[in-house]
Amino acid sequence: HENKAPKDEL
Amino acid sequence: MNIFRLLGDICHLVAIIVLLLKIWKTRSCAGISGKSQILFALVYTTRYVDLFFTYVSLYNSVMKVIFLASSYATLYLIYVKFKATYDFNHDTFRIEFLLIPCVILSLLITHDYSPVELLWTFSIYLEAVAILPQLFMVSKTGEAETITSHYLFALGAYRALYIVNWIYRYYTESFIDGIAVVAGIIQTILYADFFYLYITKVLKGKDFKLPA
């Protein structure tokens, strides 16, 4: 299971 | 935040400002693909709906608002204010050939089936190919104004710098987002031909012309 990546990039 | 991502964001910002200024100063959008600009507006709209749901930082929110506002301002200049100068005869790329595969792909390969995540995934795939109508237009006319080539270079450099940022983040934070990385690499590869001609011609003061 892959963790949802944090969306801190633009 | 690291230096590669910051430089990438600055390149992105420079690209958008260069395009807006070019159109505004010359009172013309000749040589600019309105279709690519429609796709970019769609990219920002679908990616930045999270402005309403998640707060990352002031920097993040301000940049998102700038990208959204500038993309719609660009569309306004092309399709309303300077519509008479829009070169629609050469802007003939069929964007449904990009939109439909991107919708399908985002439904097939996504981290999560939530609406916001699906929109984000779609925006990543669409961004990778959004420049194709513009590159198609350049290949059709065989040339680009110097300022347009600066725009394209800055826009291509932005995602190339993001790749370096992802490598850096992988080693320093163990952070990796496979979807963004693969799409970002494809996006950068699409600019490769252009980068080559830009470096060998435009930076030496020549016009951007495709070899006959």
Side-chain angles (χ1 to χ4, degrees), chain B residues 12-27:
Chain B
H12 197 179
L13 201 56
V14 165
I16 289 166
I17 292 169
V18 161
L19 180 63
L20 273 172
L21 279 180
K22 172 212 142 59
I23 298 174
W24 189 255
K25 293 271 178 193
T26 62
R27 321 293 290 172

Side-chain angles (χ1 to χ4, degrees), chain A residues 2-10, chain B residues 5 48 60 117 120 165-166 169 177:
Chain A
E2 188 182 1
N3 281 323
K4 206 168 115 178
K7 301 290 193 286
D8 59 341
E9 295 182 345
L10 289 163
Chain B
R5 184 144 58 110
Y48 298 155
N60 187 276
E117 187 69 22
W120 178 86
N165 151 65
W166 290 323
R169 291 191 78 176
D177 186 317

Side-chain angles (χ1 to χ4, degrees), chain B residues 22-23 26 28-33 82 85-87 137 145 148:
Chain B
K22 172 212 142 59
I23 298 174
T26 62
S28 163
C29 55
I32 301 299
S33 165
F82 302 120
T85 65
Y86 171 49
D87 197 4
M137 195 171 179
E145 283 179 49
T148 304

